[in-house]
Amino acid sequence: MSLLKSITTIAGASVISQIIGAISIWLISHKYNMSQVGIYALVYSIVLIGAQICTFASQLLLPKQNDNNLSQNIVFSLLQSMLIALPYSYIMTLFFEQNGYILYVLTLCHAWILVSENLLLRVEKIRLLAFQRISVSLLVIGAIFLTPNIELFYFCWAAGLLFLICAWLTYSVSFTQISISHFSFSNNLAFIKENRAHLSGIGSAEVLAMANNNLPTLLINFWFSPLTAGYFAVVNRFCLAPVTIVGNAVRNSIFSKWSIDFRNNTFNYQEFKKVRLMLLVLGLIATAGVLIFYPLIMQLGFNDEWLSSVPTSRYMLPYLLPALAVCPLTVIELVFGSPKYFLRIQIEQLLVIILAFVVFPYFHKDYAYSVLLFAVLSFIRYAFIYLTVNKRAHLLAKEDAQ
């Protein structure tokens, strides 16, 4: 499948998933209230961060893993997820007073979703990857419709997702290639030692990347209220939808394509330039669209609770453009570049979050200024990243020409 076709396929699935996700949020706010939207966003953020901690980027080895080590890689990722999810879910219950059993199952399932997605990327089954994402989103909206209260919703979501991801893994994993020796402590320890650089560098960076995406929701819940976090969640779902849809589609597609190029010791610079230009144009269109149309949509089709999210959409505009135009390009560092640099840019974003959502509200508890500070500092950070990834691309182009 060509890169453009791959991007459009994943983007199409992401559009459907985002629409389903938006309906899910609307249903929760309509069936319950905006505070429950904030709590749902809190649980979802905890789970997504936990999924990355559980796998620690071991799943990202799958697309470029050689056939001899593939089974060991799969077993390691699945076992690691089952073990790490236990203490993680327990710790989260201490901080946020959520159901520990539900958090464990949801965290484990989302970790296994990452494994399944990368197995599909390895063999370039992009349509199946798209269908998997849609099925996961449909499960949430189905659970909301079928359950009479919020407690049963979380139970049905967790139980349904466990069944669904087990079915997907059954499809993707060749169990005839897995033996008892793959589960041994010595073999898994040898796998860790062999991939130490990736797990410590890229693993830490991926955990931080997911934490950076979801920590604002957790911290807004902590400093302000679930209602305020609900507004932030609505803006994340609607205004940042282009980042999620296009950004993830481009990221997954170029990660799959460039992983193949990496195995073949080549790099297509002309393809990089086309992707860079496409992202810049889409970033400008998305930013202008949010500025103009989001307030109109909120006024025409939603109630006052949703209309109250409009100011947050304005504060996030400086973040939206570079998040879409620059962030997906960092895959070049993940595949071809330095794990240390990929880790560094995530640490920088974590510092931005700490300044905006920990240090600033500690001294001056103002939601609007915190979000605006976060967006402006992120814009400055992405400007420096843009220069670095272009420098990497030029270097790879020169090496490929030799």
Side-chain angles (χ1 to χ4, degrees), residues 241-254:
V243 176
T244 304
I245 295 169
V246 179
N248 285 347
V250 173
R251 177 184 168 86
N252 286 325
S253 298
I254 61 179

Side-chain angles (χ1 to χ4, degrees), residues 143-266:
I144 298 170
F145 266 119
L146 296 174
T147 53
N149 57 62
I150 198 71
E151 291 79 13
L152 275 178
F153 157 68
Y154 285 112
F155 174 80
C156 289
W157 179 22
L161 191 58
L162 181 60
F163 173 81
L164 188 62
I165 190 54
C166 286
W168 277 107
L169 285 172
T170 301
Y171 173 85
S172 299
V173 177
S174 178
F175 290 99
T176 57
Q177 302 296 319
I178 296 176
S179 64
I180 296 297
S181 62
H182 290 127
F183 292 85
S184 72
F185 178 78
S186 58
N187 282 347
N188 282 283
L189 183 61
F191 181 85
I192 293 174
K193 290 179 179 178
E194 183 181 346
N195 298 281
R196 186 187 298 112
H198 174 91
L199 295 173
S200 61
I202 301 300
S204 301
E206 283 294 305
V207 169
L208 284 175
M210 186 57 71
N212 290 339
N213 287 335
N214 292 279
L215 269 177
T217 302
L218 270 67
L219 292 171
I220 290 169
N221 259 286
F222 177 80
W223 284 110
F224 303 103
S225 68
L227 179 62
T228 307
Y231 297 145
F232 190 80
V234 166
V235 171
N236 265 334
R237 175 63 68 176
F238 285 85
C239 295
L240 299 185
V243 176
T244 304
I245 295 169
V246 179
N248 285 347
V250 173
R251 177 184 168 86
N252 286 325
S253 298
I254 61 179
F255 178 65
S256 175
K257 179 64 168 61
W258 290 352
S259 292
I260 295 171
D261 290 346
F262 177 83
R263 296 201 297 265
N264 296 326
N265 295 314
T266 186

